[in-house]
Each structure stands twice: as structure tokens, then as C-alpha cells.
Amino acid sequence: MVVNPFKPTAGKMPPILIGRQSIIDDFSEALTNGVGAPGRIMLVTGQRGFGKTVMLTEFRRIAKAQHWEVIGETASTGLVTRLIAALSPSGIHLDQANISPSIGVSGIATASLGQMHFAAESNPLTLRNALNKRLASKKISKGKGILITIDETQAASHDDLVAIATAVQHIITDADESDTPDADKKGVAIVFAGLPYMVNDLLDNEVTTFLRRALRRELDNVPLPDVKNAFLETVAASGKTISEEDALEAARKSEGYPYMVQLIGYYMWQSAQRQGSRVITADDVAVGFSDALLAFDDAVCAPALDGITGAEKLFLMAMAQDAPNPTQVGDIVGRTRRSRSWVSKYRAILIKDKLIRSSGHGQLEFTVPHLGQYLQSL
Ligand SMILES: Nc1ncnc2c1ncn2[C@@H]1O[C@H](COP(=O)(O)OP(=O)(O)OP(=O)(O)O)[C@@H](O)[C@H]1O
Ligand SMILES: [Mg+2]
């Protein structure tokens, strides 16, 4: 059976990981360059659908291939507790010391089941202990270590981030207190991925110093020539063909937006397949693009607008007139015929809801690509 090779699904590894070689090199070199290499603490940001989750998967794959232990987590309530549990599968031995003395043997049993009594979130030492203990294990060889990836970091609680930052920092200093040469030291690498706005949020609290030292990489649009080549290769490998010109047109339509690359690829391939054709034509590219836009609206734009109020919608519609360009805040007053204070109120609400963001000079823009155009089409 012939299978559509494109993968327009959140977090799914694409057939070809386009345009990410330099960030992959940053990461791999950090593993090789030993404790203290900058890329061992990384902060990867990117808009929705730009490939953060896929990047973290690739990092874990690379680390595993180099015989590192890997832990992949997504930020949500209980993050640190889950990290500790992942580091110490037989958690009960590790954490006995942290269980309050008033909890008897039955209490320990409870703790081992629920992990709730460890107060892990508020106790960075616990994570530090878990990490050190794991590093000491014979399963991790000299010069290797543990890679932790945290996805959706923007959703992490402040306490969890402080706990992680403190623990990782201690691990680095703990290693310095030993006589092991740097090349033989076991280390921790940690990669945080999240939406771009989180950088601003993070920069004004205690996690700052830690994350400011992190190697920061923004996942941007991927280069069109690379997209074109990926289309050519992927299509060829699936037993179909596409001309250079049509592949370039498909690449242009994607604007180098990774999720859109997969959507267009998927639907143009499907269009040819449904006609029993081995050739993807210019028409298939056109059909592919319009189907891709519909799918994008359903998958990204519609959910983004779920549950917004009438007033919020009025505000967004006023902004949509300028899409894909940013909107001058002042223009919204005239377009909505509301007061300045109404505009500032909803501006603040929508920024807090991450639907829009300030793009400087009194301008606002949508955080979700295409959302403005989608609103125009309603
Ligand atoms: N470098 C790339 N080249 C080609 N396709 C890619 C690339 N990166 C990601 N994709 C594709 O884009 C889509 C989105 O990827 P992914 O889910 O990793 O994005 P994300 O940034 O984590 O999005 P979200 O913020 O919604 O979680 C997937 O279909 C994936 O296969
Ligand atoms: Mg993701």
C-alpha cells in the first residue's frame, strides 16, 4: 500500500526535518563538549506549529544514540514531581529522607504510590538528590549524562521552574567539587521549549539568571529552497513525481511555516493519489494549498477563538482588517467605536490570553499565524 509520506500532525516527526541543522549541531556539540558547554542548557522558542515538539524529540533521539539517558516532559501541574519519579523508578528509596518523620510506615507506602507527600515542588533539593543519584548509577557511563526536555514551558509554574533551575545549577557545582576530569564527568543537559512570549515573562523573575545563560534559539520559518528540496525528495521517495517548478510553488505557498509545509504536502499528494496519478501537478498543488488552509483553520484558528466573548471578537475583527500587517492601537478606537478605556481593557485581556501581542510602537499583531486572514474570511 502507498502511504502519504507527509505528517501534518502536532508533534509528529516530519519525513525530512527541514532547515534545523544548525540548531541540531548546537545541541550535539554541547553533548560532546562536556560539562559546562553552553548548549547543555537550551531554550528553544517558536510559534505554534514551528516544530518545537519535533525538535525536542530529535534532541532526545540524538542523546539516546550517544548513550545518554533521556527524560521528556511537558510542563503542567506536578512537573517536578514527575521528573523525580522518572529519575527514580523505585522512588521510595530515594525519597525516604524527605518524608516527614510524622508519617509512619503506612505513610511511606502512601508516598510511594501517590508521590504527593514529597512536597517536591517546593523542595529543589529533592530533584537535585534524584539527579545526583541517577548520575551516580553505573548505567550512565563516563562523560555521558541525563538529558531532560521540557515542552510547553510557558505553562510551567514559577515554582517548578525555580526548582528545576536550582537543582540543575547545583548539579553543575556538585560536579566541580569532585576530582573527576571534565571529560569524564557525567552531566545534565536540559532543553526548554515554549512559545516566544514566555521569554519576556521569564526575564523578569528569579529564573532569569539561569535561563539567561541558556543558549536561546528561536525556531523560525524554514528556507524555501530547503522546503522545495524536501518536497522533491519526499515525493520521489513515495513513488510519485513533482516538477521543480511545482515543488517551488508549493514551497512558496507554505511561506516556510513547518506545519503548513506538511499540510500542503499531504493534501497535494492526496489530490494526485485520488486521481490514481503518480504525478503531482500544478493543479494538485493548488488543491493542496486550499485544503491545507481549511485544515489549518480547523486545527489552529478555530480552536484559538474558542470561548472568546463578543467584545473580544469585535476587537479582533478590528485588527483583522490590517492582517497580515500589525494594527495601530489607536485605529481600534475608531473601528470599534468604543472608548479608549474599553480598548485598553480588551487589549490587556487579549494579550493575557495570548491571542495578540504588542509588536512595538503602539502596534498589535496576532500571535497565531493566519488568524487575521481567518477572521477576515468569517
Ligand atoms: N523542520 C521541520 N521540517 C518540516 N516539517 C516540520 C519541521 N518541524 C515541524 N514540522 C512539522 O510541523 C508540524 C508541527 O510540529 P510540532 O508539533 O513539533 O510544532 P510545535 O512548535 O511543537 O507546535 P505547538 O506549539 O502547537 O506544540 C508537524 O506536522 C511536524 O511534522
Ligand atoms: Mg508542540
Side-chain angles (χ1 to χ4, degrees), residues 144-226:
K144 309 288 179 192
I146 304 168
L147 165 67
I148 298 175
T149 65
I150 315 270
D151 205 355
E152 303 281 352
T153 305
Q154 76 281 345
S157 76
H158 179 253
D159 286 353
D160 274 350
L161 284 179
V162 171
I164 293 169
T166 316
V168 172
Q169 242 157 353
H170 274 121
I171 295 297
I172 296 168
T173 33
D174 288 351
D176 274 342
E177 283 165 18
S178 79
D179 294 329
T180 324
D182 267 349
D184 291 349
K185 275 178 192 154
K186 299 180 186 179
V188 171
I190 184 156
V191 184
F192 300 89
L195 297 171
Y197 74 78
M198 84 178 178
V199 172
N200 305 332
D201 290 3
L202 290 176
L203 288 188
D204 48 44
N205 63 44
E206 307 129 71
V207 198
T208 308
T209 34
F210 177 71
L211 282 173
R212 201 178 274 155
R213 259 182 261 136
L215 190 67
R216 234 185 278 162
R217 290 288 177 263
E218 168 100 26
L219 297 181
D220 236 320
N221 296 62
V222 293
L224 296 193
D226 296 351

Side-chain angles (χ1 to χ4, degrees), residues 21 26 36 40 46 60 85 128 180 192 216 228 246 261:
Q21 198 52 51
D26 289 335
R40 286 198 175 193
R60 290 196 305 276
R128 172 185 177 182
T180 324
F192 300 89
R216 234 185 278 162
K228 182 199 79 175
D246 292 339
V261 170

